[in-house]
């Protein structure tokens, strides 16, 4: 069964693309971070210029199973800020400012503060939802259990692939928890309340026991996001 991979930034997507997307049944578009949102919706809400709009793609629509990887917001934000993600991309008009981690967390959590990717500020996993808030992704793998989740996905879809023994190309930084103080934890808890609740995370990590979760039923109300 064919699988389509939707790459959310800072979730191990480059690793998956390199190790698995050259296989016949695992597909991705040329664009790094495709979106299920329309071009019109993105242009209205974001300066970032996506090059792939999945719901316009016959390849995406004809693929029976779509999957992504979801990472704990606290951990994702640490990786996002420390790697200066987005600074290289000429499509971003407002770069990630050169501030320390706490200053960036404050900016990210402050509703009135401008952000270089407004849609990513609205909702970290915005790419898997359409303009009406419907999820177009079938499964999410929990980042911390990537290999186990991939194994489960391959078995469920009758793909006889073996998980790579290679490790994610993680930076040699401290555990994400060491970057936060109580004030920052409270700010992210409030700002990312929907992400945390939707995917069963808290500051300490993933609270569930499943490596692979069915997410096709999820719904997002764009009008309630700031």
């Amino acid at each position: 069964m064919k699988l389509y991979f939707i790459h959310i930034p800072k979730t191990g997507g480059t690793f998956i693309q390199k190790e698995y997307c050259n296989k016949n049944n695992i597909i991705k578009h040329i664009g790094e971070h495709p979106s299920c949102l329309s071009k019109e919706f993105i242009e209205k809400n974001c300066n970032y210029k996506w090059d792939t709009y999945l719901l316009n793609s016959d390849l995406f629509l004809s693929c029976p199973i779509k999957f992504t990887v979801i990472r704990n917001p606290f951990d994702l934000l640490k990786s996002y800020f420390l790697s200066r993600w987005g600074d290289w991309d000429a499509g971003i008009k407002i770069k990630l400012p050169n501030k320390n981690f706490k200053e960036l967390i404050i900016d990210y959590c402050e509703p009135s503060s401008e952000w270089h990717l407004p849609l990513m500020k609205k909702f970290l996993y915005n790419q898997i939802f359409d303009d009406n808030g419907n999820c177009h992704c079938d499964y999410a793998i929990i980042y911390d259990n990537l290999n186990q989740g991939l194994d489960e996905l391959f078995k469920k879809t009758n793909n006889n692939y073996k998980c790579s023994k290679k490790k994610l190309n993680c930076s040699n930084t401290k555990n994400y928890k060491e970057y936060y103080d109580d004030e920052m934890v409270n700010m992210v808890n409030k700002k990312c309340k929907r992400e945390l609740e939707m995917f069963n995370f808290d500051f300490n990590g993933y609270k569930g026991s499943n490596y692979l979760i069915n997410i096709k039923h999820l719904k997002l109300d764009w009008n309630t996001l700031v």
Side-chain angles (χ1 to χ4, degrees):
M1 184 181 295
K2 288 189 179 296
L3 308 174
Y4 196 105
F5 174 56
I6 304 176
H7 182 184
I8 294 172
K10 310 311 299 182
T11 60
T14 301
F15 172 81
I16 290 175
Q17 289 169 188
K18 183 180 295 184
E19 295 297 318
Y20 299 106
C21 288
N22 59 343
K23 301 181 187 299
N24 290 335
N25 278 2
I26 304 179
I27 302 164
K28 70 170 287 292
H29 262 290
I30 294 173
E32 274 294 305
H33 303 290
S35 177
C36 293
L37 292 164
S38 71
K39 183 176 182 179
E40 293 73 23
F41 187 97
I42 290 175
E43 287 180 347
K44 182 180 178 181
N45 291 278
C46 193
N47 289 328
Y48 185 84
K49 295 180 181 178
W50 266 268
D51 57 1
T52 306
Y53 307 94
L54 293 176
L55 298 187
N56 291 333
S57 165
D58 290 338
L59 182 62
F60 177 78
L61 295 173
S62 64
C63 198
I65 298 293
K66 292 87 172 175
F67 76 100
T68 192
V69 179
I70 298 296
R71 188 174 185 175
N72 183 346
F74 288 97
D75 192 16
L76 190 155
L77 290 173
K78 183 271 293 184
S79 179
Y80 172 25
F81 295 156
L82 268 60
S83 69
R84 315 299 304 171
W85 187 83
D87 278 1
W88 59 271
D89 196 314
I92 298 173
K93 296 178 181 177
I94 302 173
K95 306 295 185 182
L96 194 63
N98 188 21
K99 297 183 178 181
N100 65 38
F101 184 68
K102 183 165 186 175
E103 289 170 333
L104 288 170
I105 287 289
I106 292 171
D107 282 352
Y108 183 79
C109 295
E110 170 53 52
S112 63
S113 176
E114 291 188 0
W115 199 251
H116 70 303
L117 274 81
L119 283 173
M120 198 170 180
K121 184 171 181 178
K122 280 181 179 290
F123 195 78
L124 287 172
Y125 321 122
N126 62 83
Q127 295 159 242
I128 61 176
F129 295 91
D130 67 15
D131 299 13
N132 297 314
N134 300 308
C135 183
H136 287 268
C137 190
D138 298 285
Y139 293 102
I141 294 168
I142 302 302
Y143 175 87
D144 290 340
N145 304 107
L146 182 62
N147 283 337
Q148 297 95 321
L150 285 167
D151 257 340
E152 190 173 337
L153 177 67
F154 295 156
K155 290 175 184 176
K156 188 180 288 289
T157 56
N158 297 315
N159 284 296
N160 296 318
Y161 300 137
K162 297 296 182 182
C163 278
S164 171
K165 293 183 179 180
K166 296 180 182 178
K167 294 184 178 180
L168 285 170
N169 185 22
C170 298
S171 58
N172 295 318
T173 57
K174 299 177 290 186
N175 182 288
Y176 71 90
K177 295 179 185 178
E178 297 182 54
Y179 289 88
Y180 289 86
D181 58 28
D182 289 344
E183 180 186 13
M184 296 159 71
V185 171
N186 289 334
M187 285 190 291
V188 175
N189 273 330
K190 182 178 179 180
K191 172 66 184 70
C192 297
K193 183 175 185 292
R194 290 175 179 82
E195 289 96 331
L196 293 163
E197 291 180 349
M198 186 177 286
F199 292 99
N200 202 19
F201 288 114
D202 64 16
F203 180 62
N204 292 312
Y206 179 59
K207 297 188 291 181
S209 57
N210 297 318
Y211 306 135
L212 180 73
I213 54 177
N214 189 318
I215 62 171
K216 189 61 181 290
H217 63 285
L218 295 179
K219 183 83 175 177
L220 189 67
D221 185 353
W222 289 107
N223 294 321
T224 64
L225 300 176
V226 293

